[in-house]
Structures are given as structure tokens and as C-alpha cells.
Amino acid sequence: MKSIPLLVIFLVSMTIILTPISAQNVEISGKQLLVDNQPYFMKGICYHPVPKGETTRSFNSIDQDLKLMSQAGINTIRVYAPIDDIEILDKIDAAGIKLIIGFGYNQNGFFDILSGSFLQYIEKYKDHNAILIWELGNEYNYHPEWFDGDIQNWYNALSKATDLIHNTDPNHPVATVHGDMPDKQALASNPHIDMWGLNVYRWDQPQSIFREWEKVSDKPVYLSEAGADSYMKIEKDGFKQGENQRAQAVANGKIIDAVLEQSDVACGIFIFSFTDGLWKAGNPAVQDLGGWAPNSSGVPYDGAPNEEYWGIVDINRAKKQTYEVIKEKFLNFSMNAEKK
């Protein structure tokens, strides 16, 4: 047998090592999201980890957080701003978890849509295996004042950004997140959006949104935010006032059940949120009360979204009652899906 020069072996080996591993194939088929030609239902969590006493996001607890997520059957993380750290992205991928990467409008330092810097991020990470969906905006329809009082200015920017992403990365869907049900203006202004995320707070019964959606669109839809906090501002529906983890657990269980029963329409749900956010309503070193007046919103069961009590774990990563409920629902749904 003719011997092969060592230099050739070395160069071939280096070529193999340096060749990037191809990202998984992500695509839309009807109302379904597919990963490598297999249906992918997003059992998700919203994730914006800000440590106690601080006001900015940090991934110092990423190893512990990913372990907790994996144990709970969570397969997808939704972040509100890009993660520009290959080590963190690699850890998420190694945990078998996918990412929805969110981009904001005019968010300084966060690859915002207005500056166009988001395209540089997409070009940099579009082949990373953790990436599932690019997501633009987060319920901006509630804030026309951010767009000179005319929400059409946002829809125009959204449509342009969607086309730019498709040109840069045709291998991942582009989504946007709307507060509750989009109207005709939102839908007509963005025909090239691949799928829609809806932040839905309709007590513990979000399924009515899917019946409404089927009447206006045949595109995939997911609940980008849903859930309940663990503080009752008033006593209601048999749930006592004060910190009440049982109320949160009951509500989240019913919400998840409602979405899983509609898995032929919905392609995922993201529970808000992974950890309590002590930075939201006062001193970031303590857990403050905050939120709207009782009975003013669709947040179960008091209508008052107390902003620092939304976690499925607390700031120290102690599991709340809802964690075990989510774990049971997500893991059982996975087993049921495998039996089909």
C-alpha cells in the first residue's frame, strides 16, 4: 500500500476539524414547525436572568438554569435580546435546548432593528445549532407612542427587517410577537412573517385565541408569553391574599393543558418566566410588590400582575410549586407525542 505523506494527513485532519457542523434544518410546513423534518412543539420558557441586587442580565447561573430547564422538559428558551457569547450558546445546545432570539427596535447595544446591526448578529450565528427562530419586537402594538404615535411606522420597519433576514438567512423562520390578537392592519402589513407569537393573558383559558387565529391566518402561531405570577393582591376564587404559589401552579397547569389540547393549531407555549425579576419594581436587592390594580387585567387569579413574582423558580433557584406542574405537563406531553 502506498504511504500517504504526513503533511497531507495533517491538512486533511485540519480541514475536518475546521469545517463547521451544519445547523439543524428548521422550516415551516403548514401550521407546524419542523426541525430536521420532524414536528417540533416548543415547550418553552421566557428567560431574562437578572441577579439579585442588579438591573442587567447575566448568565452566571446558566449551568444551574439549564439543568433545571432540562429536568422540567423545557426544550426552547425565548430571550428578549440576543446572546452574543458563543460559550453560552454552546452550553444551551449541549443541553438539547433551542433558542428564539429576540431583537428590539432601537435597543441600544442589543443589535436593534433600527441600526441594522441585527443582521451582523444573524450572519455571525445563523449556523449555530441552538438557533431556532429569529423574533422581532415584543408586543409593540401596545406602544404606538414609541413610533411617533403611529403604529404603522413599526409595521413598516418590521416588514423591512423580515425581508432583510430572509435574504441573510433563509434557513430559519422569522417571527414577531404581538400583544394578544393582531388586527387586520398588523397582518396585512407583514405578509412575509413566517409565524406569529402572541402574548396572551386571558385568565387560565387562552384557547379562545386559537379559534380567532384560524379565522384570519393559516400561518403557525405560538403563545410567546402566558402564565401567572405567585402573588395574590386580593383574595379571590378561593386563593388567599399574599404570596400564593398554589394559585400560580393551578393557573399554569390549566393554561398549559389548554394549549397542549390545541397542538394541531399551536406550535408552542412559553411560560413567563423562568426566575423572579427583583429588578422590576423597586429595590433590586429585595422582592417588592408591584403591578396594576386588582381585576384590571387577564392575569389569574387577581387581575394584578405583580412583576417580581413571575418565576417558576425564585431568585435563588428554589423551585416553586408551579415548577413541578410544568415538569409533569411537559414531560408527559413528550411521551404522548412519541407514542403517536
Side-chain angles (χ1 to χ4, degrees), residues 80 82 102-107 110-114 135 137 140 154:
Y80 296 86
F103 298 100
Y105 181 90
N106 199 22
Q107 288 183 333
F110 288 109
F111 306 93
D112 62 274
I113 295 168
L114 190 63
E135 191 180 78
Y140 287 172
W154 160 238

Side-chain angles (χ1 to χ4, degrees), residues 38-39 43 330-340:
Q38 296 299 313
K43 296 174 289 184
F330 280 176
L331 291 180
N332 278 350
F333 181 79
S334 176
M335 287 187 291
N336 292 338
E338 289 171 1
K339 291 178 182 179
K340 291 181 180 178

Side-chain angles (χ1 to χ4, degrees), residues 13-238:
S13 300
M14 287 300 295
T15 300
I16 295 172
I17 293 170
L18 295 175
T19 300
I21 299 173
S22 298
Q24 289 179 313
N25 184 40
V26 183
E27 58 186 339
I28 300 294
S29 176
K31 295 179 180 179
Q32 284 191 321
L33 180 66
L34 304 181
V35 176
D36 284 346
N37 299 315
Q38 296 299 313
Y40 185 92
F41 188 88
M42 296 179 287
K43 296 174 289 184
I45 195 76
C46 298
Y47 188 51
H48 190 76
V50 177
K52 184 176 183 178
E54 299 183 22
T55 57
T56 57
R57 185 178 68 170
S58 168
F59 293 103
N60 289 339
S61 297
I62 188 65
D63 295 325
Q64 182 182 13
D65 292 352
L66 289 174
K67 183 177 180 180
L68 287 165
M69 291 178 193
S70 296
Q71 290 173 349
I74 291 166
N75 65 5
T76 313
I77 295 169
R78 177 175 176 250
V79 292
Y80 296 86
I83 301 172
D84 191 18
D85 187 329
I86 190 66
E87 183 178 354
I88 300 300
L89 295 178
D90 287 347
K91 286 185 175 184
I92 292 169
D93 179 42
I97 294 175
K98 297 293 183 188
L99 271 171
I100 292 184
I101 297 288
F103 298 100
Y105 181 90
N106 199 22
Q107 288 183 333
N108 292 332
F110 288 109
F111 306 93
D112 62 274
I113 295 168
L114 190 63
S115 72
S117 60
F118 70 103
L119 291 176
Q120 299 171 16
Y121 179 91
I122 290 172
E123 185 66 44
K124 183 177 180 180
Y125 292 113
K126 65 182 181 180
D127 293 325
H128 197 282
N129 203 49
I131 303 301
L132 183 69
I133 296 167
W134 306 117
E135 191 180 78
L136 301 171
N138 184 59
E139 59 183 34
Y140 287 172
N141 54 298
Y142 293 150
H143 296 284
E145 72 276 10
W146 294 350
F147 306 97
D148 296 326
D150 186 355
I151 198 62
Q152 187 61 46
N153 290 329
W154 160 238
Y155 295 147
N156 293 341
L158 173 59
S159 181
K160 180 179 179 181
T162 300
D163 290 341
L164 290 171
I165 294 176
H166 282 149
N167 290 335
T168 303
D169 177 17
N171 298 319
H172 292 93
V174 180
T176 189
V177 167
H178 199 84
D180 209 80
M181 186 69 188
D183 59 16
K184 291 181 179 179
Q185 180 185 6
L187 293 169
S189 299
N190 293 281
H192 298 154
I193 285 286
D194 298 306
M195 55 197 307
W196 287 73
L198 309 179
N199 288 355
V200 177
Y201 295 96
R202 297 187 177 189
W203 220 244
D204 59 6
Q205 299 293 314
Q207 59 266 45
S208 57
I209 196 85
F210 301 125
R211 293 190 290 271
E212 296 170 28
W213 181 259
E214 286 188 297
K215 294 177 181 178
V216 299
S217 178
D218 58 0
K219 292 190 175 182
V221 65
Y222 58 98
L223 294 197
S224 39
E225 278 186 19
D229 62 332
S230 62
Y231 193 94
M232 290 288 293
K233 206 155 191 174
I234 57 173
E235 183 172 345
K236 189 171 182 177
D237 293 345

